[in-house]
Amino acid sequence: MAVGSALKFLWPFSRREQRDEEGQFPASGYVASRDVRGARVRADFPNFRASALDRPLGGVGAERREISRARFALATYFTPTQPVTDRSSFAGRLGVLSRLISAIESQRSHVVLYGERGIGKTSLLHVLADVARESSYIVSYATCGAHADFSDLFRSALSDVPLLFHRGVAPNTDEAESGRKLADRLPAGPFDASELAALCSEIVGTRVLIVLDEYDRVTSPDFRQQVAELIKNLSDRAARVHLVIAGVASNLQELIGYVPSIRRNVIGLPMPRLEEEEVQEMVALGEAASGVRFDPNLTRVVHLLSLGSPYLARLLCHHAAQEALDHGRLTVDMGHLRSAVDLAIAEVEGRMAPRAVAELRKLVSGRYDPVVAALSEASRSSDGWFSGRSVVQLLPNTSVTAQQVERELAELAGKLQLETENVDEERRFRFSDDNLPVYLWLMLGRTRLDSPTLEADLSSR
Ligand SMILES: Nc1ncnc2c1ncn2[C@@H]1O[C@H](COP(=O)(O)OP(=O)(O)OP(=O)(O)O)[C@@H](O)[C@H]1O
Ligand SMILES: [Mg+2]
């Protein structure tokens, strides 16, 4: 085929032919209005709905005021990619927050907060920082990287503490009012845990919280050892400085290592999964702020689909609400949630290798469904490891044995990219890509949402 005819095949009309008698492009296709520069634009061309100043844009495709208002509110209340930074959008978690506060305040302890990815550790730390500052604590927050350096990180933490709180600095003196920081009293070069603890023990008139988030990313054993030494030294000196360490781990030891000497100085707090009431609260906060209403059954389904993960709960609420708003609706129903699950599935697929996606699709809607559902749920343990026994406990058919499940898993290990290991004579499994169980779970959830008995099943629960 000649080039010209191929072009004509793809694009049968010339631009000239598309114009009407007045030489204008037809309204349904190309011209609806002009953009800010006065150029012609087509009405259905995707555009931002708000300016970067968070103000709704008028003009082409402008939507109803309450819909735009709801969009802004949802971006704050259901954004799945950012931690919560203030109390007004923080749902539930009161139990773990009060344990955290009491560990610091009543037990003068250091705390290690651990749990799976996306379970809400950073959000909880932000809210803790907020309430601690209200009680005049000085809070320094650091996100650890793989190559965290002990001296750099703690120098930066002590730059948040005014020198005024050093025991040796008298109030109302030039030194106290110079705006200098405690970090100025550190040696110019590297320093160790005992030098740092000695300086920290000079703090009076306040308490300091040093939050070390994403601690699991630190690879240097030396850094971890120094932090353990610091905890021991701070405790021994009864310094007014507390460390709050957070990261992905299944237990305290996994995160900070096995250091017998600091066991008594640290309280480990596991980050629990969201309860149904907490998901309800998350939805209620979004509803109150945005004016969008969720069908009550929907909240229950979001809770079941999210398996207690605030990340997944927010993602589904966000997509479902956006879907409703895109259709000019302020009430979110099951249809919107179905589209939200489709979108979430497509997003997870985008993070996986195409071959894995093709293999996993074959596994859903077949004889493996109950096992796949059970192992997706079992894999939501804080470190992702699960056993045949934990899968059996989730299976509806109790006649299945752990050995049978282990055999099935051995058969599926390649397709599911399962790692295996033996611990205390029990075989354990883990997905090497943590997108996989979420993907499988959502795929099965999607099938369930299509079930004609869904609404009746939910009302009878
Ligand atoms: N209490 C909460 N109320 C409302 N949303 C929450 C709450 N906790 C967490 N979220 C939401 O869940 C998602 C994950 O939260 P967050 O980033 O705090 O988790 P994380 O455990 O720190 O994750 P990671 O392991 O990836 O660091 C975010 O979108 C956050 O806004
Ligand atoms: Mg985090």
Side-chain angles (χ1 to χ4, degrees):
M1 194 186 282
V3 173
S5 58
L7 193 69
K8 195 146 192 176
F9 170 68
L10 288 175
W11 193 0
F13 310 105
S14 71
R15 299 279 283 166
R16 171 165 279 286
E17 284 163 339
Q18 286 175 346
R19 295 181 188 224
D20 61 20
E21 304 85 67
E22 291 168 3
Q24 300 293 319
F25 293 112
S28 59
Y30 284 86
V31 166
S33 185
R34 292 172 186 275
D35 68 11
V36 284
R37 291 180 300 274
R40 281 197 257 252
V41 287
R42 52 186 289 175
D44 55 353
F45 198 83
N47 207 344
F48 286 88
R49 295 174 198 266
S51 74
L53 305 174
D54 290 349
R55 292 199 197 106
L57 291 170
V60 183
E63 54 189 12
R64 270 162 45 211
R65 235 175 103 78
E66 61 271 31
I67 300 272
S68 323
R69 203 181 68 81
R71 268 186 213 288
F72 296 137
L74 292 175
T76 306
Y77 284 83
F78 291 137
T79 312
T81 51
Q82 286 167 8
V84 172
T85 50
D86 69 285
R87 252 175 284 178
S88 67
S89 41
F90 184 72
R93 305 308 207 181
L94 301 190
V96 62
L97 180 61
S98 62
R99 282 202 294 284
L100 194 49
I101 293 173
S102 144
I104 296 163
E105 188 169 50
S106 315
Q107 293 171 264
R108 303 277 188 237
S109 183
H110 305 276
V111 186
V112 173
L113 183 69
Y114 56 89
E116 67 202 80
R117 191 149 292 294
I119 196 71
K121 301 175 292 295
T122 303
S123 302
L124 182 69
L125 294 177
H126 280 303
V127 173
L128 170 75
D130 200 26
V131 294
R133 286 191 184 109
E134 261 178 23
S135 298
S136 303
Y137 279 73
I138 293 175
V139 184
S140 172
Y141 178 95
T143 302
C144 299
H147 306 293
D149 177 87
F150 184 81
S151 301
D152 289 351
L153 191 141
F154 285 97
R155 189 184 301 285
S156 158
L158 292 201
S159 345
D160 290 330
V161 184
L163 191 58
L164 173 70
F165 294 109
H166 188 285
R167 185 192 309 277
V169 175
N172 304 325
T173 58
D174 286 350
E175 195 178 22
E177 286 170 11
S178 63
R180 294 178 62 207
K181 306 292 181 187
L182 203 63
D184 299 338
R185 292 285 177 104
L186 284 167
F191 50 86
D192 64 19
S194 72
E195 287 171 283
L196 176 61
L199 180 59
C200 289
S201 66
E202 299 294 326
I203 294 175
V204 288
T206 189
R207 284 189 179 272
V208 179
L209 286 190
I210 301 181
V211 178
L212 305 182
D213 197 6
E214 311 237 354
Y215 198 73
D216 51 295
R217 293 177 59 203
V218 177
T219 49
S220 153
D222 184 50
F223 180 92
R224 288 171 180 249
Q225 186 59 39
Q226 295 258 45
V227 170
E229 294 288 335
L230 179 63
I231 289 176
K232 181 83 182 106
N233 276 283
L234 290 173
S235 304
D236 289 350
R237 290 167 177 272
R240 300 172 74 86
V241 175
H242 307 272
L243 297 194
V244 179
I245 296 177
V248 178
S250 59
N251 56 51
L252 186 143
Q253 264 85 35
E254 196 180 289
L255 196 61
I256 59 167
Y258 183 73
V259 189
S261 59
I262 64 165
R263 260 186 307 181
R264 277 179 299 109
N265 311 118
V266 174
I267 290 181
L269 288 182
M271 192 72 198
R273 297 194 197 168
L274 284 189
E275 301 285 340
E276 185 170 341
E277 300 73 53
E278 294 178 306
V279 175
Q280 273 164 2
E281 193 182 332
M282 182 188 284
V283 170
L285 286 171
E287 286 184 327
S290 64
V292 166
R293 291 279 161 267
F294 282 71
D295 180 319
N297 268 342
L298 209 76
T299 312
R300 170 165 286 176
V301 179
V302 168
H303 169 64
L304 296 172
L305 285 175
S306 62
L307 286 172
S309 154
Y311 166 75
L312 268 182
R314 273 199 153 199
L315 180 80
L316 295 173
C317 287
H318 179 265
H319 288 350
Q322 289 290 339
E323 183 67 18
L325 296 179
D326 286 348
H327 288 91
R329 304 282 303 277
L330 284 165
T331 305
V332 188
D333 61 26
M334 210 58 91
H336 301 133
L337 183 61
R338 281 193 190 93
S339 308
V341 175
D342 285 342
L343 201 54
I345 289 174
E347 285 173 4
V348 185
E349 277 182 355
R351 293 197 286 268
M352 298 188 330
R355 181 179 289 186
V357 172
E359 288 291 349
L360 293 183
R361 278 197 183 156
K362 285 187 219 151
L363 277 183
V364 179
S365 304
R367 76 174 181 97
Y368 287 120
D369 274 8
V371 178
V372 170
L375 66 94
S376 306
E377 185 167 357
S379 75
R380 305 291 298 164
S381 63
S382 49
D383 57 356
W385 285 104
F386 58 92
S387 62
R389 208 159 31 91
S390 58
V391 174
V392 166
Q393 281 162 3
L394 294 165
L395 281 174
N397 177 356
T398 45
S399 64
V400 180
T401 66
Q403 286 72 23
Q404 284 169 323
V405 169
E406 281 176 19
R407 274 198 297 278
E408 296 256 10
L409 289 179
E411 218 175 276
L412 294 171
K415 287 190 176 140
L416 295 176
Q417 301 175 36
L418 290 176
E419 300 166 19
T420 58
E421 67 172 27
N422 283 335
V423 173
D424 299 334
E425 295 181 12
E426 190 173 46
R427 194 140 194 77
R428 300 203 305 173
F429 303 84
R430 179 161 75 174
F431 287 93
S432 53
D433 176 351
D434 59 8
N435 284 305
L436 263 63
V438 175
Y439 180 69
L440 289 168
W441 182 257
L442 289 178
M443 292 276 281
L444 291 170
R446 178 72 180 82
T447 319
R448 187 74 183 95
L449 284 180
D450 286 335
S451 151
T453 62
L454 178 72
E455 304 267 353
D457 291 349
L458 287 169
S459 335
S460 65
R461 270 169 65 111

